[in-house]
Every structure is written in structure tokens, then in C-alpha cells.
Amino acid sequence: MTVAVKIPEDMELIYEYPEAMTTTYTHYCPGCPHGIVHRLVAEVIDELGIREKCIGVAPVGCSVMIYKYLNVDFVEAAHGRAPAMATGLKRTNPDKIVFTYQGDGDIAAIGIAEALHAANRGELISTVFINNAIYGMTGGQMAPTTLPGMVTTSTPFGRDVRLAGYPVPMSELLAQVEGAVYVTRQMATDLVSIRKTKKAIKRAFMVQLAGLGYSSVEVLSSCSTNWNMGPWEALEWVKEKMIPYFPLGTFKMTDEVKALKVK
Amino acid sequence: MAKELLKGNVAFAEAAVRNGLQAYFGYPITPQSEALEHLSGRMLELDRVFLQAESEVAAINMVYGAACSGVRVMTSTSGPGFSLMTEGLSYIAGSEIPAVVINMMRGGPGLGNIQPSQADYFLMVKTAGHGDFHPIVLAPSSVQEIIDMVGLAFELAEKYRTLVYIAGDGAIGQMMESAELPPMQEVRQERPAWATTGAQGREPNLINSLYLGAKALEEVNLRLQKKLAEIKAHEIRWQEYETEDADLLLVAYGTVGRICTSVMREARKQGLKVGLLRPQTLWPFPEERIHELAGQVRGMLVTEMSAGQMLEDVERSAAGKCPVKFYGRMGGVVPMVDEILAEVQKLDEEVSR
Amino acid sequence: MGKGMVVIDVDRCKGCGLCVHVCPVGILALSPDTFNAKGYHPVIVTDMEKCTGCASCATICPDVVFTVYRKKRQPRAVPVPA
Ligand SMILES: Cc1ncc(C[n+]2csc(CCOP(=O)(O)OP(=O)(O)O)c2C)c(N)n1
Ligand code: SF4
Ligand code: SF4
């Protein structure tokens, strides 16, 4: 319900609903950054004017229904297989923009092989993945990114690294391979970081438009529902607890990528 | 086009190229790697898509992605690789998009060996992945037949927007024989309206197998079943040899089906009225015809390179109207004419008693 | 009317409060006693006069609730070059 309001003559529009987003109400929990990052992707698509060229690949995870929210062609992949599907799509649609949107479990556990190999081949696809240190969709079990000592529904005594290993540094791993030309870790917790994340997503898409190689943007994010915190508190927790394990930064940026002018 | 001496694996790969194959994704596995090797050069020469994937899991999901863009796409593998593909196959089936998968079966279970086998019948025909679905399963028995079946596979896959498997075996893949390839076909340029190719001037397309509501998913399943019923009504294929006067029937497919033509000839020389039915589609299965013949003959002998998998379908079809016996070899052993002939004689004695 | 204004799509709001935290002039609050169609206490503007049109709320809102307007810049008088 939007109340019809009269906009005074001397006012100009500063922010409006992105065209690349449908008006469908999302199923996300209140304050979930999935919503923020969806919106950023939509804004980038609008600003680059590529809505009619995009093919998205949805993951399995909380964002499984992203296809309902973005106004572009979409396919739904099996858990972790989005980069392989994106490869099939891009190779047969070389003039289109193909992106995957994934969760940390999707990309760093079950789908780590597909992701690393797609990156290594330098597939001309872009990946945006949400690292919320947990399996959101299935009810808060340990993810490959869960912090040591962190209590989840499958690590009731906290993640014991002797039993379950350490948080997987996905972006650092992706940055190792030659085919990946732009790999960055951002977060979506406050105004500045959200703006930076948007710029990173835009650069990633521009890398693809310029045909430079594989690009990936990791976004540190929260899951207030499964972390048992309020939405704002959860965002503070990201900054305080996650960054020591997942330092922000750009792990790979070739000179050609650097030369792209991202407005 | 003239006949030439062709190896099965190369033949089906080249047949796919000439049928307008636009993309191939695969992972090497014996006994079908020659297909992947052939395509690695051919597809690139022709400016088409070839990619050696990091696993069969990735390969089938690449096939899934390419199939979503509405191109002619295929992969080929053997048992262990097919096991890995079942995840993607189920998604492809759930999304109702066309794709062709060739399995040149080898000995199992486990790593098994690289000898010919038919032990993936259950896997391909019955299970093939989670959920209720059936691929069309074609079963060639010669190099020429696998060439012809590749064209048919694409045609059926696209006609019904369904998965089509070709159930070959190591023998057909490795065998050299004289066969004729189809003429080179133009690659289709246009993409179907349902494909995800970017929503240019139209509403976005979605290719999906997720339906959260039980009712909605049941509807999808009902639609799927309706389509399968239609396939069942129109696409059952088999070949019969000397069944008019037969009072004993051999039932076998693929390489064994071919061996059984010799068995039948030998048996006839000995005065036994033996016929042969060789299913060319394992799904849909020639149930009715086998049921009819069960009313005509005194007994049936099913022969497979397995412990008896198609046997269950033959028994189901015969429905007790005649005795159904089985002879199988496993582990990559190909049954010889003499062995099967001895089983036919045994059957003859048993049913004469 | 102040320098800016926001239009709120009340029924999209999930009452998460993120916008309330980031509004630099502190004019956003969750309505304590009303519910929207989804059953959340939606965001309200307590004093639109103070809105600067900075779009901070729109930047953080996960549910695209805000449309933001700002006063057009008045063309400044340009001194005539001598
Ligand atoms: C093959 C397979 N295994 C397991 C699942 C169940 N499953 C669904 S979502 C999910 C975890 C997703 O976590 P993540 O990728 O971190 O995304 P989030 O939900 O946190 O956004 C799992 C294990 C599945 N759908 N498929
Ligand atoms: S469970 Fe967590 S990740 Fe999933 S929608 Fe809710 S807050 Fe977001
Ligand atoms: S950030 Fe958005 S959803 Fe959350 S309270 Fe503010 S307007 Fe509502």
C-alpha cells in the first residue's frame, strides 16, 4: 500500500524502486541482508542497462527463490552446481550476462569444486555470494564458514576445529587461480559498506561485459534468525566477530580490471 | 553417404555432430572416452561448444545450463560417471528440458572394470535420480543402430522436452564395423520460446524444478505423468525375429540381443522354433507385445549381461502366461552363443515335460 | 517542507529497524501501536520537515520500502565576468 502523495514541484527523485526488481514481497526474515544484496544487484543491472541480457542462476539456500525477485531470465540450479550451470549457459549464450547468486554453504561446501573450476577456466560469469557463517535455509547448521567455537544447531558445543576444520576462506582460494581476475570480499552491514559492495558488484559485472574473466564478490552478511540476535545487533556482530576470520579486501584485481571506470 | 569402417564411440559422437549437436560437456571414462576425444577436435573445428568438465557432476550441470538455453546438447559417460550424474538428471527431468545422455555400460559395482556390461539397467530405466520420472531409454545393438539412435534421441528429446538416454555397452563402443553416417545437418539457429536467453522484449523466463506447495508440485507431477503416458503410447520400439511360428522366445537387448540372433539361427538349425524379441526402447518397454507372445510361446529365455534386471520387466509383461527363465553373465563377461544355446535347449526340455 | 522527503510503501516493511538506526536526523521510528498488512510494526516518519533526502534509509532497507526525493538545487547566481 503506497499512499498517494503529492510530490512538490521543487523536489526531484533521488531513489526509486529498481526496474530489475519485481514487486514481489520477499520471503526473507526481517533485516536479512539477502534483501539488500538483491537490491544492489538489481540497481547494478539497471545502471548498466543489461536487464534484457541477464540470465541469473539461483542457488539452493535461503535465496533459492531469487528468481521471483529479480526481473530477469533465471534458472534454478542444484545445491552448489550454479557455476557449472552458468558455464553451460554462458558458453551457449556468449553475448549474454550470466551470474550466479550463492550462499556460503552452496559455494564453499557442496559446490567448491564447481566454483573453483569455473574460476580457473576463467568462465565469463560473475558470482555474488553471501557469507553468513551458517546454513540459513535448513535451520542454522554449521556452514564451512562457521567461526571456531560458534554454536549452531549442528555444533551444540561450538565448532571444534579439530573435528570440523576451520572456516573456509573462499575468496582467498578463488584468488589463487589464474582465470579469476576480480575477487573481493565486502560486507553489507552499514551505509558505507553497502555502497562499496554495490560498486564491487558493478565492477564484477563490468569485468564480464569486458570479457576479462571470472569475477566474484563475497558479501559478509548476517542471519539474525539463526544467530538468535536482533537484525541490527547481528550486523554489528559481523563487523566484530567475522572480520577477524574474513578480512575485507580485494584479493585479485588484474590491471585490466583496475582500469575499468566504475561510477 | 557411403559405408565406412567406424568404431562405435566415434560413430555416435560424429553422428551427434551431424545431427546438429551444439554443445558437449563430458569427463573421460573408459569405455567411451573416444567419443569425448573425437568431439574435442570436431566441435572446436566447427566453432561449437566442447568442454571437458572437472567431474560428471559438473558435466551434467553444464548440460543442464546449456539445455536451458535451448540448444542441442549431450554428454556421454559410463557407469561410475552415470551414478554421479543422477542428481543433475533429476533436475533436468523436473525442469522438463531436452537433453541426451549416452551411457556405455561397463562392469560394476564400484570401480568394477572396463568390460561390457548391462548392469546399469535398473539405474537408467528404473531409478535414474530422485523423484517420479522416466527418461526415454534407447538400446542399440550395433554401430549402425547407435548412429541412427542419436538422431532419434535428439528428435524425441525435443519433441517431448524430455531426457533421452542411450544405453550402450562397452562392446558397442569399442567395436569397429561398417556403418553409414547421416549427412551433415545445419545447426539450428533459433532458440525455443521457453529458453533462458535474456528477457529481450519479453517477460522473463524461468526454468525451475522447485514448487513449495504440495498441490502445485502434484500438478507438475500429474502433467509429467501425462506426458510419459503419451510417450508410452507412441514411442515403444522393438525388433522381432522369426516370431510368427515361434514356440520359444529369446528376449535380449543391445549386444546380447545381437548375439541372440545367432543363437536363434543355431537353434532353428536344430529344429527348435525359436524367435527373438529385442527391445529398442527399454523405457517405454514393449510390455504388450511380450504379453501377447507369452500367450503364444511355451517359454521365454531372458539373457543379459547382468544378474537379471530387464528380466523383471519381461516377467511383469508375461504376467505368468508362460515360464520365464534367465541366463546372465556378469562382471564384463559376454555370453557366448553356445552357452545361451544350451540354456535354450534346457528351457525346451523343461517346458516339454 | 524541508530539504527532502520519503514515501513509504507501508506494507513492504518488515519492521526490522535497520533504517531507524541509520537515519542521520533520527526521524524514523517503528510505529508502536499500528500493524501493516503483514502484521509488522511498520516504519513511520516522525518529522518529515527534518528529512534531508540523503537516502540512507533506502540504502539499508532490505525490502525496498522507500522512495526518496530531494529539493532541486537552486541555480546559484553566477557573477557576470567583468
Ligand atoms: C544435495 C542437497 N543437499 C542438501 C540440501 C539441503 N540444503 C538446502 S539449503 C542448504 C544450506 C544452504 O546454506 P547456504 O548456502 O549457506 O545459504 P543460506 O541458506 O545460509 O543463505 C542445504 C544443506 C539440498 N537442497 N540439496
Ligand atoms: S534464515 Fe537467515 S539468511 Fe535466511 S532469510 Fe532468515 S535471516 Fe536471512
Ligand atoms: S529497513 Fe525497511 S523493512 Fe526495515 S524497518 Fe526500515 S523500512 Fe521497514
Side-chain angles (χ1 to χ4, degrees):
Chain A
M1 177 192 68
T2 312
V3 188
V5 252
K6 216 171 125 30
I7 310 301
E9 291 268 307
D10 59 343
M11 292 267 181
E12 64 181 337
L13 189 62
I14 294 295
Y15 186 82
E16 72 175 329
Y17 206 97
E19 194 196 336
M21 239 179 149
T22 67
T23 53
T24 308
Y25 190 76
T26 71
H27 68 286
Y28 298 114
C29 305
C32 177
H34 269 305
I36 302 176
V37 181
H38 282 20
R39 196 194 68 226
L40 299 182
V41 172
E43 289 174 12
V44 165
I45 290 173
D46 283 349
E47 287 170 24
L48 296 174
I50 53 173
R51 194 186 70 75
E52 295 193 331
K53 284 178 76 176
C54 278
I55 308 166
V57 185
V60 175
C62 276
S63 48
V64 67
M65 287 188 290
I66 183 174
Y67 54 74
K68 287 192 176 176
Y69 312 134
L70 293 190
N71 208 0
V72 302
D73 271 12
F74 249 101
V75 300
E76 172 61 63
H79 195 16
R81 315 292 177 229
M85 236 186 139
T87 298
L89 279 160
K90 181 72 183 193
R91 297 269 177 141
T92 51
N93 290 296
D95 54 337
K96 300 292 154 65
I97 302 301
V98 178
F99 67 95
T100 68
Y101 184 104
Q102 303 181 254
D104 45 15
D106 201 69
I107 195 169
I110 194 164
I112 193 166
E114 285 77 10
L116 274 173
H117 281 279
N120 188 53
R121 287 189 302 266
E123 289 302 333
L124 296 175
I125 61 172
S126 309
T127 292
V128 175
F129 76 95
I130 299 293
N131 178 355
N132 56 11
I134 207 143
Y135 280 3
M137 190 196 204
T138 39
Q141 296 84 6
M142 182 188 75
T145 45
T146 293
L147 307 184
M150 187 172 161
V151 173
T152 69
T153 54
S154 62
T155 52
F157 312 114
R159 180 178 188 160
D160 180 347
V161 295
R162 287 168 311 171
L163 295 177
Y166 293 86
V168 173
M170 195 62 201
S171 289
E172 285 85 341
L173 292 174
L174 286 170
Q176 293 302 311
V177 302
E178 202 65 34
V181 295
Y182 180 55
V183 180
T184 186
R185 181 183 291 123
Q186 304 289 331
M187 63 180 181
T189 55
D190 51 64
L191 299 174
V192 175
S193 67
I194 291 170
R195 289 191 189 109
K196 282 191 177 162
T197 297
K198 178 174 167 185
K199 204 167 162 191
I201 295 173
K202 196 165 184 180
R203 189 180 291 276
F205 277 62
M206 287 169 69
V207 166
Q208 183 177 167
L209 277 165
L212 299 180
Y214 174 85
S215 51
S216 149
V217 180
E218 172 176 356
V219 186
L220 298 187
S221 182
S222 67
C223 176
S224 63
T225 300
N226 288 302
W227 295 359
N228 284 315
M229 293 174 200
W232 183 256
E233 194 193 345
L235 294 182
E236 299 276 287
W237 198 89
V238 171
K239 290 184 252 187
E240 195 183 314
K241 296 287 197 318
M242 284 183 75
I243 289 184
Y245 287 96
F246 299 109
L248 301 185
T250 296
F251 302 97
K252 184 84 163 275
M253 171 132 86
T254 60
D255 291 342
E256 284 165 308
V257 175
K258 217 177 278 171
L260 294 172
K261 295 260 174 303
V262 186
K263 276 192 234 98
Chain B
M1 209 111 328
K3 286 207 171 190
E4 46 194 317
L5 199 58
L6 290 164
K7 189 170 189 168
N9 284 331
V10 175
F12 83 69
E14 182 58 26
V17 169
R18 297 190 183 194
N19 274 289
L21 179 72
Q22 285 159 286
Y24 175 93
F25 304 91
Y27 188 83
I29 185 168
T30 316
Q32 65 75 51
S33 296
E34 295 88 352
L36 173 137
E37 287 167 5
H38 179 76
L39 291 170
S40 66
R42 271 302 262 162
M43 292 296 274
L44 297 190
E45 264 167 34
L46 294 166
D47 207 17
R48 304 187 194 172
V49 176
F50 168 89
L51 185 59
Q52 181 173 329
E54 63 270 28
S55 69
E56 287 87 350
V57 174
I60 194 66
N61 283 286
M62 290 171 185
V63 166
Y64 185 15
C68 288
S69 19
V71 300
R72 272 203 170 168
V73 56
M74 132 182 148
T75 184
S76 56
T77 186
S78 185
F82 195 88
S83 289
L84 280 186
M85 287 185 183
T86 53
E87 175 195 56
L89 295 172
S90 173
Y91 280 75
I92 293 173
S95 309
E96 296 185 69
I97 48 173
V100 171
V101 179
I102 295 173
N103 180 9
M104 302 307 261
M105 292 181 272
R106 60 186 246 177
L111 201 47
N113 62 22
I114 56 171
Q115 313 302 323
S117 162
Q118 295 180 323
D120 298 351
Y121 183 96
F122 284 157
L123 177 64
M124 298 182 77
V125 176
K126 302 290 177 185
T127 53
H130 57 283
D132 261 324
F133 72 96
H134 267 296
I136 296 176
V137 186
L138 306 176
S141 67
S142 66
V143 172
Q144 186 63 58
E145 199 171 23
I146 199 168
I147 290 173
D148 299 342
M149 278 184 175
V150 166
L152 176 65
F154 284 123
E155 202 180 291
L156 294 176
E158 283 156 20
K159 176 170 177 195
Y160 295 103
R161 280 179 66 178
T162 193
L163 265 174
V164 180
Y165 301 165
I166 296 181
D169 61 60
I172 295 167
Q174 296 302 321
M175 154 194 330
M176 300 269 293
E177 61 183 345
S178 150
E180 190 177 333
L181 285 162
M184 195 73 168
Q185 233 184 70
E186 286 280 315
V187 167
R188 190 186 46 187
Q189 292 306 328
E190 73 284 8
R191 305 283 175 93
W194 50 261
T196 48
T197 52
Q200 196 159 4
R202 59 158 168 78
E203 286 298 300
N205 283 340
L206 169 67
I207 295 178
N208 178 32
S209 62
L210 175 75
Y211 300 87
L212 287 179
K215 271 269 172 58
L217 186 54
E218 191 181 42
E219 259 165 47
V220 171
N221 270 282
L222 287 171
R223 192 183 65 224
L224 210 59
Q225 291 303 317
K226 211 172 127 199
K227 176 158 85 182
L228 294 178
E230 201 187 314
I231 294 174
K232 225 168 153 172
H234 295 106
E235 308 299 347
I236 300 178
R237 289 169 166 80
W238 71 90
Q239 251 184 357
E240 276 179 38
Y241 309 80
E242 319 235 357
T243 47
E244 306 82 45
D245 66 339
D247 64 3
L248 293 172
L249 185 74
L250 285 161
V251 187
Y253 71 97
T255 293
V256 186
R258 180 166 171 166
I259 295 168
C260 280
T261 55
S262 306
V263 175
M264 183 192 69
R265 258 182 261 121
E266 288 304 314
R268 289 233 164 218
K269 274 189 210 154
Q270 298 180 7
L272 294 172
K273 284 202 236 161
V274 175
L276 166 66
L277 185 142
R278 181 173 68 81
Q280 290 167 303
T281 52
L282 302 179
W283 199 93
F285 195 70
E287 301 163 8
E288 276 176 33
R289 182 58 187 148
I290 292 179
H291 187 73
E292 250 170 47
L293 287 167
Q296 170 189 326
V297 301
R298 292 182 295 139
M300 293 187 185
L301 178 71
V302 179
T303 307
E304 296 175 65
M305 292 190 283
S306 81
Q309 300 193 9
M310 181 180 72
L311 170 66
E312 293 191 4
D313 282 331
V314 177
E315 284 175 333
R316 187 171 53 81
S317 308
K321 283 172 78 183
C322 77
V324 178
K325 299 283 169 192
F326 177 72
Y327 181 69
R329 297 299 302 261
M330 290 173 281
V333 180
V334 181
M336 294 288 123
V337 175
D338 289 354
E339 295 168 47
I340 305 173
L341 187 59
E343 293 298 316
V344 175
Q345 287 158 344
K346 225 160 75 186
L347 172 68
D348 175 50
E349 281 161 31
E350 274 176 39
V351 293
S352 315
R353 251 184 260 136
Chain C
M1 193 54 68
K3 264 175 36 189
M5 68 177 282
V6 293
V7 178
I8 290 171
D9 190 344
V10 179
D11 287 338
R12 292 193 70 84
C13 178
K14 290 178 183 154
C16 70
L18 296 184
C19 55
V20 178
H21 278 275
V22 300
C23 176
V25 288
I27 56 166
L28 298 178
L30 297 183
S31 159
D33 41 18
T34 61
F35 297 97
N36 66 7
K38 295 281 173 190
Y40 293 112
H41 290 295
V43 68
I44 48 170
V45 182
T46 55
D47 186 357
M48 194 72 92
E49 278 299 310
K50 288 197 183 137
C51 179
T52 62
C54 69
S56 297
C57 51
T59 302
I60 204 156
C61 177
D63 289 280
V64 208
V65 167
F66 300 95
T67 307
V68 185
Y69 297 88
R70 192 164 52 202
K71 255 213 180 100
K72 288 178 195 152
R73 290 222 177 87
Q74 296 301 332
R76 258 182 290 156
V78 184
V80 184

